[in-house]
Amino acid sequence: MNINLNLNRSIRQKIQLYILGSVVIVYLIVFGFISVSNRKAAFDQTAKLISSYSDRYAGEIGSNLNSDMSALRTLASTSIINENVGIPAFMDLKNDMIRSTFKANPNVYSFWDSWEYSYIKPGWSKDCGRVAFTIWTEGGQTKESITERSLDGDPEIYAHQKVLKKENAFEPYMDVFAAGKAEAQMMTSLAVPLLRNGKFVGLMAEDVTLNQFQKLLEGIKPLPDAEAMLISQNGIIAGFPNKEMLSKKVIALLGKDCDVQVLDSIKNGKRFSFIANDSLGVERYFAFSPIAIGRDGDTWSLGISVPVSTIYQQTNRNFMISILVGLLGLALIWIINLILSTSITNPIKQLTSLLHRMARGEVSQNMKVNVQTHDELGDMSKALNQTLDSLIQKEHFANQIGKGDLNVDLTLMSEDDILGKSLLRMRNDLKKAKDEDEIRQVNDDRRRWAAETIAKINDIIRYNNHDIDLLCKTLVKEVVYSVDANQGGIFLLNEDNEIDVSYDLVAAFAYNRHKLMKRSFKPGEGLIGTCIAEKEPVYLTELPNDFVEITSGLGGANPKNILIVPFVHDSKVLGVLEIASFKLFAEYEREVILKIADSFASAISFAKTGSMTQRLLEQSKIQAEMMAAQEEEMRQNLEELRSTQEESLRQHTEQEGLIEAISKSVLWTEYDLNGKIVNVSDKVVQKMGISKDKLLGSDALQDYLSTGKDKDSFTHLWNNVRLGAAQRVVSHRKDGLSSATVIDTYTPIRVDNETRKIIKVSYDITESMN
């Protein structure tokens, strides 16, 4: 009794000392590591969250700005398409497009464009001077203005745009002049240059308020105390919850730790983050994401800052909770350990007694122990009982082997039952010696049959390779006999139609007679088509009675086993051998058929290669003759094209001379539909004694009234001409003391049944009347 008590006390002490002590040590190490790791992981996860917010809202702001930039780009590209209608008409059309775009974009403060006089006014010699069209909303009404600007020189911002020549966003600025506003608001201008052959001819731009982004920034709160900011390319604060910071440099937010590298990263549009003290000395985490504006690389940045203490606040709270939970867990482990150490010692006596008896070599059914537990000790008792059963079974097995019973079986305890495996190996070795002679005889017979069959098939291929049809018929018959099958067939590749390739039945043999059936399959169709597509043998057993009739190429009987082997040469299927039988094909029979298929594929390829070589030689000769004819036809076409180009150049030169001659000898004036002069001939300029620039824009009505006629007759004449009817008028003109009689012919110029402009041709008939 005392021995058992000492044993119990010793085990319990070991459990308390080693197990509980190890748990405490491991717990402290793991808990410390996890706590530190979780603290860092929590910070990194929060930093990723802040960066994701920055990326998301940077994309949203960039999308809005680029949507406006896209509208400007569309206006600019449309002006390129429509400027061939004439400068006055083009300017009106362009202004209408700007009005429509302004109406469709109510968030835009104003649209405006600027066109260089050097581009729209022929003869303008200065490198400055422009006309600007502006449209904006004021007091709920849309207003417009057309003004001349930069006549004596360009302002600095506009001059910078002329040099920059790329899409860009102006640096943000405070708009303090808008009427009716309670406070100033941040603005920016988006600009798209108007280029012709690389030369700056104007600017298409819009003014955008940043209030919409101000509200967005105030709502970005991934964490409490988070602040979002919108920074321009050169570091100007365009948006911030504290509106007093607007229009200031970003250094006012980032504090003295904001060095040149941070400002350069913002200016260059980089995505970056860092920890630094802000202007108030608070340690904060900053994350910036670029906002790409336009196609030319102009970038702003959206930044989010969060106090570092806010990020660590939740982590510290979780750390304290983890410590409390850990202490409670250790206390629970100590109580469970006391209960466990007591419950272990009781079953050990029974197990120890059994082990002593087994050590003495005792094996009997009455030695089994009965431990009613469901833990490891219970498993130990079950394992010992199973060991007893196994030893008893092995004793019986050994006795039967000794009596000569080699068919007796033994159930192994597991894959690791070495004694059982040794006994089974002994029995198997005895049986193996008996079976090897029988197996050796069977294998020799199969090898001899395979060699004789392959040799016979090779002789058939060698003697009949000049005639593929005869070869196929002879081969299928021999294969069917060799493997004791019921029927067989060979399908060969038919390449007569390259678009619709098929495999046709060329030989069939069944029940000792040839079946001259016409069958054809395409890749993927039925069993044969599957074999062709996959280039692998198909072997099916236990088929239904109607399966062959539906999908097989042979038809007729209903065999239970089908073997289909492809003839593959250089990765190309040249044909298929199909064999059907009521008996299963042995593996060695299938291997022989596969070898036969390889030999037959080489024979088919050799025969087809000879035929194809002859056919290619004939095609090459025909193609050479066709190419010679095409080269002669191409040479003739080039000669005709050269003659046509020379005639077109001559006619173009004649037309230019004719137009110049008419301009110097005929009095003609070109009007738009509103009666404004848009062009005159050199003869008119010479006769009037006035420069062409002063004549342009003059009114046809005033010229008509100067001949003494009334306004009503002009209106009647002009309406008829606009409707497409030419009008002829005799006028008496006085110039000082001299007078002249002139016939004016007004002719409409129509395109697609619509009058586009009006030409007046004048003839002086004074001398003919005298």
Side-chain angles (χ1 to χ4, degrees), residues 452-483:
E452 292 174 353
T453 301
I454 293 174
K456 188 182 299 182
I457 295 298
N458 287 337
D459 289 339
I460 293 174
I461 293 174
R462 183 166 58 255
Y463 292 128
N464 298 282
N465 59 11
H466 60 282
D467 187 343
I468 293 182
D469 291 338
L470 177 59
L471 175 62
C472 292
K473 292 177 181 178
T474 307
L475 179 69
V476 70
K477 176 181 178 181
E478 185 62 34
V479 172
V480 168
Y481 281 145
S482 298
V483 297

Side-chain angles (χ1 to χ4, degrees), residues 525-699:
E525 180 183 359
L527 292 178
I528 292 177
T530 301
C531 176
I532 295 168
E534 297 180 357
K535 301 179 182 180
E536 294 291 340
V538 175
Y539 181 48
L540 298 180
T541 61
E542 298 300 327
L543 301 177
N545 291 332
D546 59 348
F547 187 77
V548 174
E549 284 288 332
I550 296 174
T551 60
S552 174
L554 298 176
N558 298 310
K560 295 298 183 179
N561 306 282
I562 290 179
L563 174 61
I564 303 174
V565 181
F567 301 141
V568 181
H569 185 77
D570 289 339
S571 300
K572 182 178 181 181
V573 179
L574 302 179
V576 173
L577 170 64
E578 181 185 46
I579 303 175
S581 175
F582 290 112
K583 73 176 187 64
L584 292 175
F585 293 112
E587 182 178 355
Y588 72 92
E589 291 177 325
R590 297 199 300 270
E591 292 177 354
V592 169
I593 294 175
L594 290 178
K595 293 179 180 179
I596 292 172
D598 290 340
S599 299
F600 190 62
S602 299
I604 295 174
S605 176
F606 178 78
K608 288 194 172 185
T609 300
S611 176
M612 184 179 299
T613 301
Q614 182 63 31
R615 187 167 59 252
L616 291 175
L617 288 174
E618 295 175 358
Q619 291 178 357
S620 175
K621 181 178 179 181
I622 294 173
Q623 290 175 354
E625 294 174 354
M626 292 177 62
M627 289 180 61
Q630 290 174 355
E631 289 177 357
E632 177 61 24
E633 183 180 355
M634 185 180 296
R635 185 187 63 78
Q636 294 176 1
N637 291 340
L638 289 174
E639 289 293 336
E640 293 177 0
L641 179 61
R642 187 180 299 110
S643 300
T644 301
Q645 290 176 339
E646 292 174 355
E647 178 63 20
S648 176
L649 178 60
R650 183 187 63 79
Q651 292 178 358
H652 179 69
T653 303
E654 290 178 355
Q655 289 176 359
E656 287 183 345
L658 179 60
I659 293 172
E660 183 177 359
I662 291 173
S663 178
K664 293 181 178 179
S665 60
V666 177
L667 299 170
W668 60 265
T669 306
E670 180 182 341
Y671 297 95
D672 61 15
L673 297 183
N674 295 322
K676 301 296 184 180
I677 295 176
V678 296
N679 200 2
V680 296
S681 66
D682 296 340
K683 187 67 174 178
V684 172
V685 174
Q686 179 182 357
K687 186 171 183 63
M688 297 294 292
I690 304 175
S691 68
K692 187 175 182 178
D693 290 341
K694 292 184 177 181
L695 286 174
L696 295 179
S698 301
D699 191 58

